[in-house]
Amino acid sequence: MAIAHFSVSIVSRGAGRSAVLSAAYRHCARMDFQREARVIDYSRKEGLLHEEFVIPPDAPQWLRAMIVDRSVAGASEAFWNRVEAFEKRSDAQLAKDVTIALPLELTAEQNIALMQDFVAGQILARGMVVDWVYHDSPGNPHVHLMMTLRPLTEDGFGTKKIPLLGADGLPLRTKTGKIQYGLWAGDASDFNVFRDAWFERLNHHLAINGIDLRIDGRSYEKQGIDLVPTIHLGVGATAMERKAQAGLETPDLERFQLQEERRAENARRIRHNPELVLDLITREKSVFDERDVAKVLHRYVDDAGLFQNLLARVLLSPDLLRLEREHVSLATGKRQPAKLTTHELIKLEAGMAARAIWLSRRSSHGVRRTVLEKIFARHERLSEEQRSAIVHVAGDARIAAVVGRAGA
């Protein structure tokens, strides 16, 4: 199942990081690090599937001239060297670094379309430069995304802190009359909004591609699931773990120990209450099968005997409802697993249907035709089909639906 991983960090010299080094690693490329007069070479690194260096529509001419006729990696190299040269402090913050897990359920082309949608709506729209790469690691497709921390100006970069504006468009002030400032690129308080925007786009693209799956980025506690959160170890940490198991390394990593402790605690809770597995699945899928149950159990249980025992207990749960028995498809000749759901989900969907029927028999809150005509006069580029859709939705029926292609 798709992993709900979305993390943000800062590329900072104070932490021993470099924007150019980070870019070279992500693009699997050879880059000149001008500030230190050395070459960084990751051209032998594998896994790069797609890369983009994108600038906002109103980007200044100096940036356009810098990247014209360059490859994606070349544009990245030139830009981050410019950032490194601009930032003088030894502890300077150079870029915002985002790592996002992509869903296995989408194809590479669909994941690229998902990222392009998210980047355009949530980053480019804010005037930020975006440098992102798609790494197709086996079983772990993910994106590394670097964003600027300063606004672009006609001759370089602006200040990181800008005045905070109120609803009236004027700067907010403290009780003593001083103007309040905030980070142009957003601070920790903006993280949840940024992350939630990603999960909204992710679930949208899963839906438009016909995948019955919903990813919830909230913690187990906020979802009401009695499990402790596990840790996303990442590609590097996982590779170190494999070397340790092979006897090549003995890394003393507290994260591995903490991860195992949390998995053991979750396995204990599932043994006590196997229905927790159904809580996890039904927050992602409304209809599932035995393989989905096994995938969730495998996250926490390694012992084969215990795994089979818990799998049987979950499948025999009185909360489970079998929608369709296991059968062989007459069209393909392949075995189709039994389709499962829960009594709670059936009640929820029945309630939604009842409310929809109730609404369909009532009318109110319609928008007057004169108001619609004024709106259409201000938006002359709307097609007849779009106008018809708006008239339909703005009518006095209490529930209305329009079916069409996403984005139309």
Side-chain angles (χ1 to χ4, degrees), residues 26-329:
R26 285 153 174 70
H27 287 278
C28 304
R30 184 181 186 274
M31 293 187 180
D32 291 324
F33 187 8
Q34 296 169 1
R35 186 170 181 271
E36 295 187 357
R38 65 188 178 99
V39 174
I40 300 168
D41 191 355
Y42 284 105
S43 56
R44 294 185 180 181
K45 185 178 181 299
E46 298 179 350
L48 178 65
L49 181 67
H50 183 81
E51 56 185 347
E52 291 190 18
F53 184 87
V54 196
I55 61 176
D58 58 350
Q61 184 57 37
W62 67 264
L63 177 54
R64 297 180 182 278
M66 175 188 290
I67 66 174
V68 67
D69 297 330
R70 290 180 182 266
S71 65
V72 174
S76 174
E77 175 188 23
F79 179 77
W80 294 116
N81 269 303
R82 174 99 179 219
V83 171
E84 293 269 9
F86 182 86
E87 301 288 356
K88 307 300 183 184
R89 294 171 57 105
S90 60
D91 61 347
Q93 295 185 341
L94 306 167
K96 185 175 290 188
D97 184 16
V98 185
T99 302
I100 308 173
L102 295 173
L104 291 166
E105 291 79 4
L106 295 180
T107 66
E109 292 76 15
Q110 291 168 341
N111 272 323
I112 291 170
L114 162 62
M115 279 306 305
Q116 290 171 336
D117 182 10
F118 175 67
V119 165
Q122 298 298 324
I123 307 175
L124 289 179
R126 299 177 59 187
M128 294 179 174
V129 173
V130 189
D131 185 8
W132 68 276
V133 299
Y134 179 171
H135 287 174
D136 192 26
S137 303
N140 181 30
H142 59 278
V143 159
H144 292 288
L145 185 152
M146 291 172 64
M147 305 152 52
T148 41
L149 298 176
R150 295 179 181 271
L152 300 169
T153 64
E154 289 303 317
D155 56 357
F157 302 98
T159 179
K160 288 181 179 178
K161 289 188 176 182
I162 58 173
L164 297 176
L165 303 180
D168 56 2
L170 299 176
L172 295 174
R173 295 180 181 273
T174 64
K175 292 181 179 179
T176 59
K178 293 183 179 180
I179 295 177
Q180 298 183 38
Y181 289 86
L183 293 174
W184 174 79
D187 54 24
S189 63
D190 299 310
F191 170 74
N192 287 338
V193 176
F194 188 46
R195 182 190 60 182
D196 290 347
W198 160 252
F199 287 115
E200 186 277 325
R201 287 292 85 195
L202 169 57
N203 286 320
H204 174 77
H205 279 258
L206 288 170
I208 65 176
N209 286 293
I211 297 170
D212 179 24
L213 176 65
R214 177 176 173 79
I215 309 303
D216 195 329
R218 297 175 300 166
S219 66
Y220 285 156
E221 181 181 6
K222 290 183 178 179
Q223 293 182 58
I225 299 175
D226 186 26
L227 292 175
V228 293
T230 52
I231 300 171
H232 182 76
L233 295 175
V235 179
T238 304
M240 293 176 69
E241 185 181 34
R242 284 199 300 267
K243 290 181 180 180
Q245 291 173 349
L248 301 176
E249 287 186 16
T250 55
D252 183 19
L253 295 178
E254 293 182 1
R255 295 175 69 197
F256 288 127
Q257 182 179 354
L258 180 59
Q259 171 76 330
E260 288 307 310
E261 289 174 355
R262 292 186 176 186
R263 290 183 77 243
E265 172 60 20
N266 284 333
R268 184 191 67 78
R269 295 187 185 190
I270 292 172
R271 283 199 302 272
H272 178 70
N273 180 18
E275 279 72 20
L276 284 172
V277 175
L278 297 179
D279 288 341
L280 287 169
I281 296 174
T282 54
R283 277 162 174 77
E284 297 181 356
K285 293 186 171 186
S286 57
V287 177
F288 50 93
D289 57 36
E290 183 177 328
R291 291 173 298 184
D292 295 322
V293 178
K295 286 178 182 178
V296 172
L297 268 178
H298 186 63
R299 297 178 193 172
Y300 311 107
V301 180
D302 291 328
D303 181 83
L306 177 60
F307 178 89
Q308 291 297 332
N309 177 268
L310 289 176
L311 180 61
R313 288 175 65 189
V314 173
L315 295 176
L316 292 173
S317 168
D319 295 335
L320 205 62
L321 183 65
R322 192 181 304 273
L323 296 175
E324 187 177 281
R325 293 186 177 277
E326 179 181 333
H327 65 281
V328 175
S329 170

Side-chain angles (χ1 to χ4, degrees), residues 204 208 381-383 385-387 389-390 402-408:
H204 174 77
I208 65 176
R381 295 176 61 184
L382 288 172
S383 69
E385 187 179 49
Q386 289 171 325
R387 289 170 186 249
I390 293 170
V402 174
V403 179
R405 286 186 177 275

